[in-house]
Amino acid sequence: MARQISIGVLVSGNGTNLQSLIDAVEAKKLDAKIELVLSNKAGAYGLVRARNHGIPTEVLEHKEFSSREAYDQAVVDLLRRRGVELVVLAGFMRLLSPLFVRAYSNHIMNIHPALLPSFPGLHVQKKALEHGVRFSGCTVHFVNEECDEGPIIIQAVVPVFPDDTEETLAARILRQEHRIYPRAIQLYAEGRLHIVGRTVLVDRLKKDDAQVLIEPSLEG
Ligand code: GRF
């Protein structure tokens, strides 16, 4: 049995990952309460999604703060005031300072639209296409002080086709993001994730070593 955890979701944009979390909570597939959705952009559509579901929202614009640390301290204060235990980055387009990462050490998750450690940073679909990889995907990881480099929780793999554009590849990856982010948070809620060095051990992991993907396929 999982206890209900209190999460705060940080968004800067469309918020489709936020929507997948809201849907999972409402479908009782995720034992979490979204205490707060916070954005650094007043126009982020993720805020509308939150309000549509009665979730409290806050906007903190970084230009109103004198430094990155001052901004991050204000965000941390808001999250703490709401009793947030796990911070969920869902398209939050800001690097977190060490102050933030230490305040919520091992209690911050991020989702990245590539198979880390390949293609960290920005414009990752473009980089994957230019590199000619046959597979890409998405990664949920705990956040440490380096960008896109913390311990990996879960990944999903998708094929990359020769006629893909950044948009078609991003859409294929995003569909899987919406499946793995709620799952990662549910594993956390169930107390099944243990960070050991730079790896994450998952209790009661089902192993299936028959699952193999080959692209181009062996047939045809
Ligand atoms: C996703 O591709 C996510 O992996 C990245 O930012 C994007 C956010 O999309 N970190 P959305 O706002 O959740 O639709």
Side-chain angles (χ1 to χ4, degrees):
M1 258 311 274
R3 65 198 171 88
Q4 192 187 58
I5 55 162
S6 295
I7 66 176
V9 185
L10 274 50
V11 300
S12 298
N14 191 359
T16 64
N17 276 290
L18 166 66
Q19 188 68 53
S20 77
L21 303 182
I22 294 172
D23 294 345
V25 169
E26 291 184 351
K28 302 205 181 310
K29 289 180 180 158
L30 176 54
D31 295 310
K33 179 160 185 241
I34 304 175
E35 306 284 355
L36 176 66
V37 171
L38 183 144
S39 181
N40 60 327
K41 296 211 162 107
Y45 188 67
L47 294 166
V48 177
R49 295 179 189 274
R51 289 182 198 123
N52 286 343
H53 291 263
I55 299 167
T57 59
E58 294 276 358
V59 176
L60 280 189
E61 306 244 19
H62 44 268
K63 51 182 186 280
E64 288 163 23
F65 292 81
S66 56
S67 68
R68 183 172 291 276
E69 284 68 28
Y71 180 85
D72 282 5
Q73 187 63 59
V75 174
V76 166
D77 289 346
L78 274 176
L79 294 166
R80 289 228 190 281
R81 219 172 294 146
R82 293 271 178 183
V84 167
E85 142 178 12
L86 178 71
V87 180
V88 175
L89 307 181
F92 187 61
M93 299 306 285
R94 279 182 66 81
L95 291 176
L96 306 190
S97 66
L99 179 150
F100 195 148
V101 176
R102 285 176 202 153
Y104 270 98
S105 178
N106 294 342
H107 292 80
I108 308 172
M109 283 186 195
N110 182 44
I111 190 157
H112 181 76
L115 291 175
L116 293 172
S118 290
F119 309 125
L122 296 174
H123 312 297
V124 294
Q125 286 85 11
K126 184 165 183 284
K127 289 180 196 161
L129 291 173
E130 283 172 0
H131 198 96
V133 292
R134 298 302 191 202
F135 292 100
S136 188
C138 42
T139 305
V140 179
H141 63 94
F142 284 111
V143 171
N144 64 14
E145 292 184 22
E146 307 301 322
C147 178
D148 296 330
E149 123 56 64
I152 291 171
I153 301 165
I154 186 169
Q155 296 184 303
V157 179
V158 304
V160 180
F161 300 123
D163 58 353
D164 267 327
T165 62
E166 281 179 61
E167 291 71 31
T168 59
L169 179 57
R172 190 175 306 124
I173 293 170
L174 199 55
R175 284 197 292 278
Q176 302 312 314
E177 294 184 33
H178 299 158
R179 300 176 69 201
I180 67 170
Y181 219 175
R183 174 68 175 159
I185 298 168
Q186 180 62 14
L187 288 171
Y188 173 98
E190 291 175 8
R192 291 168 63 184
L193 303 180
H194 308 281
I195 301 177
V196 181
R198 69 145 300 108
T199 67
V200 178
L201 300 184
V202 183
D203 286 344
R204 303 189 304 285
L205 186 69
K206 268 197 195 155
K207 291 198 275 183
D208 175 8
D209 71 358
Q211 52 170 346
V212 176
L213 298 170
I214 299 174
E215 179 66 31
S217 121
L218 294 181
E219 282 135 42

